[in-house]
Each structure stands twice: as C-alpha cells, then as structure tokens.
RNA sequence: GGUCCCAUCGUCUAUCGGUUAGGACACAUGGUUUUCAUCCAUGAAAGAGGGGUUCGAUUCCCCUUGGGACCGCCA
C-alpha cells in the first residue's frame, strides 16, 4: 500500500514548534512506510501570506533535517483547478450560490448570540428557486452539507470519531471574489497530490468531517486521517505565535542543536517503552501511530535543555565545532581564525559543561577574547601568597618543553607541597588569572588549551 | 453557550484487569572531583471525585469535576 503524506502550513507567520512536530511526524511516517512526504504552502490568504514566512518555514524544516519530496507545492498556483471543482460541485448539485449579504449574516449571528444559541447558517439559499436574486450582491458558493445522519471517521490516532451531520453547516467553498477557501483548496490538492494519509493537528478534526463530504461528493477516495494532539504552552493553551519560545528560531537562538530538538519533539506526545534517546534510524523504525497519546502535552524547557545537553555530549568534536561555528556566525561576534584551532581542540571538555551552544560559547570566552576581564570579586582572591604561587608556576612552566598533562601534574603537586596548601590553593589563583573567574573548565584543560605565550602573558599580567 | 475530545508524580510518559504503579526531566540529600559542572547513589513525588461491572480495577462502563479544541468569505 502506498503512503503519501504532507505538511501544509500557511505562510502567515513564523513556523512554531507544534507545526514542526506535525511535520516531523509526517516525515517520520513517510520514511518508515517507504512513502513520500510533501510540503505544501497554503497561501490562498493573499492578505496575510508573506514570502518571508514561506522562506522561514522551509529553512526551519531544512534545519531540522526534514526534507520534502521534490519542489514545495504552492497552493495558490492551483487556484483555477479549485474553482473548476467548485463549479463541478454546483453542476452535480452539491453546492449552491448564496446571496446573503454580509450584513444579513452578521444580523443572524447577533440574533443567535442574543438568544444564546449557536449560529449556523440558515441555508436560506440552499434550495431557493423562487427567491429573488439581488443584483448588487456577489454570491458566495456554499457546499450542500448533509442535513441528517452521522459521519464516522476512523482516525488513526483518535480512534472512531462520530459526529452528527446536522452540526456541520453549509460552509463556503468559494468567496464572493470567486477565490477558493481552505476547505476546498486543501481537499482538491490532497486529492491531486494523491495524499493517502492526512496527518495534522487535532484542531483540524472538524475540517476532516467537512472535507470528507467533498471527497464523497466528488467520488474521490477519502484518505486516512490522523489527528495528533496539540502542544500546549506552559499556560495549558494551544500554542500560539505569541508564546515565547514557540518558534524554531527561539531554540536555534539559544543554541539547541537539530538532533536534540528532533528527539524532544519525537517524545512529546509519543513514546516507545522507556526509551528516551532515539537516533534518526531508531526514530524512523520505531515511530508509529499507536504510540501517539491522545491528550495534549505541555512544552517543557528544562527537558529540551536536558536532551540538548545529552546530544552535545554525544556529538563528535568536529561536528559539534561546526555547529558552534554556524551558531556563532549567526548570533555572536565572529571568532578569530587563529582561535578556531584552539576551540576545536577544546570541544572535548567544553561540551561537558554546557546545555547549549551558547553555554559553550560563553565558557569559551577565555579562549575567544583577546583580553580577559577578571571580575572584581575574584581579583580580591589574588593575595600575596597567590602571586608568589603564580610566580613559581611561571618559572617551572617556562622550563617545560613538551606541554602535556603528565608534565604539568608534578609541577602543580610540588607547588602544593612547597606552599603547604591544597589543589584549590594553587588552582584557584591560576584559574582566575587565566580564565578571569574562579569558575571554568578544569585547570589542566585551561592551561593546555591556550598557547604557551598566552598563558605566560596572562599570568605575568597579574603578578 | 453548542459540538467534539482529553484526564497516572510539577512536566513528558510506561502499564493494554492481578505491579511494592516503572522510567526520564526537574527538585532534595549524600558521594567522587580541581572551582562551576559532569558523574554516581539515595530520596520525595501520581492513578481528580463518585457510582457500577468483576473474585479483583489506574486499566472496562456511567455520572460529576477539571482541562482543551472547534464554532470565519483564516488556514
């Protein structure tokens, strides 16, 4: 059996994390089922659709490694086809022109509101042969929705869903300017693209009932539906663009790496036994509809950070360094070429104390910055004894021909003995002089990561 | 308000009638360490409430409560 699915965002704002997850689920399922995953840009809202958002959506997905089959499908290019289908529906008696003015509709809505009953279009023009057609009104085309009976959708995630047809109104498929609405366009395109599985957010449930009627009316094969629960913000509401940290860019900005976000999103609302970390292959092999939960899940920043931390540690130094380079070039000041070699070598220990690329960058400031700034609290810790220790260290350090940890250890040890102190007594002043803070990477890592002249320069500066 | 849906630690979740209700994140405590971290160990932490069904319910059914989605000539 073939498996074609799609992700169909509208370019009316930056893609948020919920959309990304929907795309991920689609993509994973396509891979697993050896099917195809398409990207369709639903830009039929001319007012709000923006080219920049389209680009942002595509680049966000690419960043995560979600690649669609072929070119992205631009919905607006297929409008004439949508209109043809609408005309076809009219011919077949499944749609009709509605000449209600906007005022008339609004009046109805007001009236319903006052009476406290739900507004449903009153189907005035559904079978209105003897009604006088107003000359000054451009009609909309409405779909002749079923009045009685029930519609059942066997949802791959939600299970069997049953709705009374009477609750679905005669929805508009062509606006007064003859442009198609979402319900029509999406259905026609899904059919034309031979989509077999429509996997989308739970908020589309009702649309599936409407769209199924269009499929049936046209005599088209109805695809399988899967409605995945939405992601909620920390406030417990459907995620919106206004929630902070909801767009992909918010995560890229703080230095989350793609693999980590992919893993986080995968496990948000889906699970496989007790497994938490899934590499790409495992995600594809193990992902399925069955493991998707039915209730919405909340975004948890500390979890994202934790998974990112895990991935940072698992990532090879070279790869991680490239991530860092890309990150820095996008969000921070450029790094001196000469420092890059040192940074590359330092990845192996820098990654052990960071949750994000930004953390790595911050912890690497002592390498990146030409001049280190010692904060005023820490400078106080450099007393006369400290200076004496640093001086002694300099003397010994200068003598070392090949700088290794093995060569440094005896030096430090002898200083501890000589000054009757402990590691901290020796280590802290050195770290402050070299890093500018009493916090930082391991002392040996620090000393070995910097050039010999740089170490001497910094140490001499303080004594 | 109407329609539909959901309900296990704070969070993500496991359990597909019988478990000391498991794991992960976060949190707390202790240990290792070279500071901060890491790492290791330990701990606290959950079946919303009420009825059924059953020998036995977190699990199946109903009600209540709580939460959510939808209700556009937006998608």
């Amino acid at each position: 059996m073939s498996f074609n699915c799609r992700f169909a965002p509208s370019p009316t704002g930056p893609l948020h994390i919920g959309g990304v997850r929907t795309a991920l689920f689609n993509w994973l399922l396509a891979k697993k089922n050896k099917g195809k995953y398409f990207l369709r840009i639903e830009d039929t809202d001319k007012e709000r659709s923006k080219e920049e958002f389209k680009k942002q959506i595509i680049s966000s997905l690419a960043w995560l490694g979600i690649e669609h089959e072929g070119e992205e499908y631009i919905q607006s290019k297929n409008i004439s086809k949508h209109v043809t289908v609408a005309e076809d529906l009219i011919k077949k008696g499944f749609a009709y022109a509605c000449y209600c003015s906007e005022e008339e509709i609004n009046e109805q809505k007001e009236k319903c509101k006052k009476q406290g009953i739900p507004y449903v279009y009153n189907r005035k023009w559904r079978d209105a042969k003897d009604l006088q057609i107003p000359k000054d009104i451009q009609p909309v085309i409405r779909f002749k929705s079923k009045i009685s009976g029930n519609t059942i959708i066997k949802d791959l995630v939600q299970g069997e869903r049953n709705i009374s047809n009477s609750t679905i109104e005669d929805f508009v498929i062509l606006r007064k300017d003859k442009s198609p609405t979402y319900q029509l366009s999406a259905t026609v395109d899904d059919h034309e693209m031979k989509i077999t599985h429509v996997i989308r957010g739970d908020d589309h449930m009702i649309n599936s009932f409407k769209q199924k009627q269009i499929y049936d009316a046209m005599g088209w094969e109805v695809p399988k539906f899967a409605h995945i629960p939405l992601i909620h913000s920390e406030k417990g509401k459907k995620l919106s663009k206004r929630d902070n940290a909801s767009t992909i860019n918010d995560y890229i900005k703080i230095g989350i790496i793609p693999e980590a976000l992919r893993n986080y999103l995968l496990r948000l609302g889906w699970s496989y036994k007790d497994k938490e970390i899934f590499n790409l292959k495992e995600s594809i092999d193990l992902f399925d509809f069955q493991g998707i939960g039915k209730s919405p899940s909340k975004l948890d920043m500390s979890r994202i950070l934790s998974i990112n931390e895990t991935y940072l540690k698992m990532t090879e130094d070279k790869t991680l360094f490239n991530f860092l380079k890309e990150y820095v070039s996008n969000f921070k000041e450029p790094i001196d070429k000469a420092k890059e070699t040192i940074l590359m070598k330092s990845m192996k220990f820098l990654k052990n104390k960071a949750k994000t690329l930004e953390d790595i960058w911050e912890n690497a400031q002592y390498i990146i910055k030409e001049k280190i700034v010692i904060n005023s609290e820490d400078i106080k810790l450099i007393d006369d004894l400290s200076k004496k220790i640093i001086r002694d260290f300099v003397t010994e350090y200068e003598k070392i021909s090949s700088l290794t940890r093995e060569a440094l250890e005896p030096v430090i040890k002898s200083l501890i003995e000589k000054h009757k102190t402990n590691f901290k007594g020796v280590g802290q002043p050195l770290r402050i002089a070299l890093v500018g803070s009493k916090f930082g990477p391991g002392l040996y890592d620090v000393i070995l990561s910097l050039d010999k002249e740089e170490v001497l320069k910094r140490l001499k500066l303080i004594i």
Side-chain angles (χ1 to χ4, degrees):
Chain A
M1 194 195 155
S2 62
F3 190 104
N4 293 330
C5 62
R6 84 299 192 281
F7 174 55
S10 61
T12 54
L15 185 60
H16 69 64
I17 201 85
V20 176
R21 190 183 64 147
T22 305
L24 175 69
F25 282 16
N26 269 281
W27 181 72
L28 248 21
L29 256 359
K31 291 265 172 208
K32 185 197 174 86
N33 294 294
K34 308 226 175 338
K36 288 177 176 163
Y37 158 82
F38 299 96
L39 177 65
R40 184 170 75 223
I41 304 294
E42 307 218 319
D43 58 343
T44 52
D45 184 341
K46 289 178 286 265
E47 306 274 289
R48 299 196 299 147
S49 294
K50 296 273 180 324
E51 184 67 17
E52 56 163 311
F53 292 134
K54 183 188 117 186
K55 285 188 178 141
Q56 189 265 350
I57 288 167
I58 293 170
S59 73
S60 288
L61 294 171
W63 178 82
L64 243 205
I66 299 175
E67 282 175 349
H68 54 273
E69 192 81 23
E71 283 290 293
E72 54 272 8
Y73 187 105
I74 307 296
Q75 187 160 65
S76 58
K77 288 185 181 167
N78 208 25
I79 283 178
S80 61
K81 175 71 191 179
H82 306 157
V83 175
T84 310
V85 171
E87 284 162 355
D88 218 18
L89 284 168
I90 296 174
K91 260 181 243 156
K92 290 178 171 162
F94 285 109
Y96 62 95
C98 162
Y99 290 87
C100 286
S101 65
E102 280 179 54
E103 295 79 56
E104 204 176 336
I105 297 284
N106 287 337
E107 256 172 50
Q108 279 183 47
K109 283 185 185 171
E110 285 287 317
K111 210 169 144 192
C112 288
K113 214 174 173 184
K114 262 183 203 157
Q115 293 177 14
I117 55 171
Y119 163 76
V120 196
Y121 169 65
N122 62 12
R123 309 187 204 246
K124 181 177 169 189
W125 291 87
R126 183 168 168 124
D127 292 298
K129 289 205 180 63
D130 17 289
L131 277 178
Q132 186 85 41
I133 292 175
K135 287 201 179 66
D136 56 335
I137 284 179
Q138 286 294 312
V140 296
I141 305 301
R142 289 182 183 269
F143 183 82
K144 226 180 244 185
S145 196
K146 284 179 188 156
I147 291 173
S148 59
N150 284 53
T151 300
I152 294 169
I153 285 179
K154 282 179 188 148
D155 192 282
L156 264 15
V157 172
Q158 310 288 337
E160 202 164 280
R161 284 291 136 97
N162 190 336
I163 201 172
S164 165
N165 291 331
S166 62
T167 60
I168 298 173
E169 70 162 352
D170 286 357
F171 52 93
V172 173
I173 54 174
L174 239 44
R175 302 185 184 95
K176 67 176 175 212
D177 66 358
K178 295 278 171 282
S179 65
T181 63
Y182 167 75
Q183 304 295 0
L184 213 220
S185 296
T187 308
V188 174
D189 286 347
D190 281 337
H191 174 255
E192 294 243 304
M193 292 165 78
K194 298 185 166 52
I195 298 301
T196 59
H197 296 255
V198 173
I199 304 153
R200 71 218 315 191
D202 209 4
D203 49 345
H204 281 285
M205 195 72 219
I206 191 75
N207 294 330
S208 295
F209 285 102
K210 291 179 180 173
Q211 290 166 16
K212 183 176 184 297
Q213 293 204 27
I214 300 180
Y215 282 102
D216 288 342
M218 291 302 291
W220 294 339
E221 194 182 336
V222 183
K224 296 209 183 319
F225 291 103
H227 292 91
I228 61 179
L230 302 175
I231 295 181
H232 282 177
S233 69
E234 265 136 0
K235 282 177 237 108
K237 300 269 185 206
K238 176 182 170 181
L239 213 56
S240 90
K241 279 144 198 164
R242 283 172 293 282
D243 288 302
N244 49 354
S246 72
T247 71
I248 275 264
N249 238 51
D250 294 327
Y251 296 94
I252 301 178
K253 227 186 315 188
I254 59 168
I256 301 295
I257 64 173
E259 283 281 273
L261 192 64
R262 193 214 73 228
N263 197 139
Y264 172 75
L265 256 17
L266 174 75
R267 273 290 284 101
L268 190 64
W270 175 83
S271 62
Y272 178 78
K273 296 179 181 171
D274 275 349
K275 201 168 162 59
E276 298 288 347
I277 300 297
F278 297 81
N279 65 32
L280 188 55
K281 190 181 180 304
E282 290 168 330
S283 313
I284 293 167
D285 292 345
L286 267 18
F287 192 71
D288 61 353
F289 287 113
Q290 259 205 328
I292 302 175
K294 283 188 180 184
S295 44
S297 24
K298 280 184 196 152
L299 226 38
D300 181 0
M301 197 57 195
S302 65
R303 194 59 177 295
I304 299 176
L305 255 15
S306 160
I307 292 184
N308 201 52
E309 185 180 8
T310 305
Y311 271 89
L312 251 29
K313 287 198 178 85
M314 290 190 326
T315 307
E316 267 184 63
D317 293 353
K318 186 86 206 309
T319 316
L320 186 59
F321 177 68
N322 287 333
F323 277 139
L324 183 72
K325 244 169 84 170
E326 197 195 337
Y327 173 76
V328 170
S329 78
N330 286 330
F331 303 103
K332 308 287 178 190
E333 311 86 68
I335 299 173
D336 201 333
K337 270 268 175 250
K339 310 281 187 192
E340 283 194 0
T341 327
I342 301 177
L343 258 187
M344 172 64 218
K345 280 195 302 189
S346 307
M347 280 299 139
K348 63 176 186 294
F349 61 86
L350 285 173
K351 71 178 172 190
N352 280 325
K353 47 190 307 143
K355 284 192 191 312
T356 62
L357 293 173
E358 186 166 40
D359 288 347
I360 295 185
W361 183 78
E362 269 168 15
N363 289 331
Q365 283 306 299
Y366 80 98
I367 296 172
I368 297 163
K369 285 242 173 73
E370 207 52 54
K371 251 196 190 143
I372 58 152
V373 185
I374 303 174
N375 76 57
S376 55
E377 281 303 305
D378 293 340
I379 196 92
K380 288 180 198 155
L381 295 169
I382 308 288
D383 54 12
D384 289 343
L385 176 63
S386 302
K387 288 186 181 174
K388 204 186 276 174
I389 292 173
I390 294 175
R391 244 175 267 135
D392 284 351
F393 177 80
V394 169
T395 315
E396 293 303 313
Y397 178 76
E398 281 179 314
K399 286 185 210 158
I400 301 173
S401 54
S402 123
L403 280 167
T404 59
R405 187 181 172 122
E406 288 68 35
L408 280 171
E409 269 176 16
V411 175
I412 301 290
K413 273 195 185 129
S414 71
L415 284 174
I416 293 171
E417 272 174 43
K418 183 179 170 190
H419 296 282
K420 299 197 170 45
T421 180
N422 54 16
F423 192 97
K424 194 179 173 186
V426 176
Q428 193 171 67
L430 285 172
R431 183 182 288 107
I432 290 173
L434 294 171
V435 179
S437 158
K438 57 183 173 175
F439 304 139
L443 187 61
Y444 293 114
D445 288 332
V446 170
I447 297 173
L448 294 169
S449 65
L450 293 168
D451 287 335
K452 191 166 187 176
E453 306 85 75
E454 187 62 29
V455 170
L456 290 170
K457 195 181 101 189
R458 291 187 189 184
L459 292 179
K460 283 175 179 168
L461 207 66
I462 208 165
I463 48 177

